Amino acid sequence: KMEGGFHALVVASHSPATAAVAVNSVVGQATDAELSGRLRMLGASLQELRDRHKAPAYTLSATFPASVSPPFDAVALPTSEHLRLIVRDASRPGRSAEDGGSWTAVSTSGFAAELLATGASEELAAGALAGHLRELLQSASSAGVPAPTAVAAKCWRAGFTAKTLGLKENAIGLEPW
């Protein structure tokens, strides 16, 4: 915060609720009425995304033997019905090569909704997600991929939004501040 207000606000978040809180927290700092109004509208639109257009997601943590080593550290899966993203934990900031057998996977919202509709426990969801992760790792491996030695899943009922803000811009710049 600068003397007399903020110079800029940068919000980089997957959560529209977090972004709404950040935007709403600076509305009172805006000295221009038009800017203040735009900030209020943006905050309300972000909160509406969270409240009315949320979609579930599961995250999976799975540990495989260190011998499971496909030729990538992370993969986005835009055409998968089950998984949206997989990441080798050792490639994440602050992690070491010793974490080489640990993977994180993020489900698609459609698959998460299917799991929730069946009433699957987090343990059953972990097994289903781990099976799909194992299949993907197997497709990139020349050797067999054994079952993971440990799995855990967490359901995020508002993990994604099912709609965008509908803006033509990829980013919003609100100046001057």
Side-chain angles (χ1 to χ4, degrees), residues 25-96:
S25 73
V26 298
V27 168
Q29 300 292 323
T31 56
D32 180 90
E34 181 182 350
L35 177 59
S36 180
R38 289 175 64 199
L39 287 170
R40 277 192 188 87
M41 287 183 357
L42 177 60
S45 295
L46 288 163
Q47 191 61 49
E48 180 184 351
L49 279 181
R50 166 58 170 84
D51 294 342
R52 297 184 57 212
H53 302 286
K54 60 187 170 196
Y58 276 89
T59 53
L60 170 73
S61 178
T63 303
F64 290 89
S67 61
V68 175
S69 187
F72 53 80
D73 285 333
V75 176
L77 304 158
T79 60
S80 171
E81 294 178 36
H82 305 103
L83 298 176
R84 180 179 268 199
L85 174 73
I86 60 174
V87 179
R88 184 191 318 250
D89 284 357
S91 68
R92 295 170 51 195
R95 303 296 173 102
S96 71

Side-chain angles (χ1 to χ4, degrees), residues 60 111 115 121-133 148 151-153:
L60 170 73
F111 189 54
L115 291 168
S121 66
E122 285 189 345
E123 291 79 19
L124 287 174
L129 290 162
H132 293 295
L133 174 58
V151 295

Side-chain angles (χ1 to χ4, degrees), residues 117-150:
T118 65
S121 66
E122 285 189 345
E123 291 79 19
L124 287 174
L129 290 162
H132 293 295
L133 174 58
R134 185 178 177 199
E135 287 175 16
L136 286 166
L137 293 174
Q138 179 64 50
S139 69
S141 177
S142 58
V145 174
T149 56

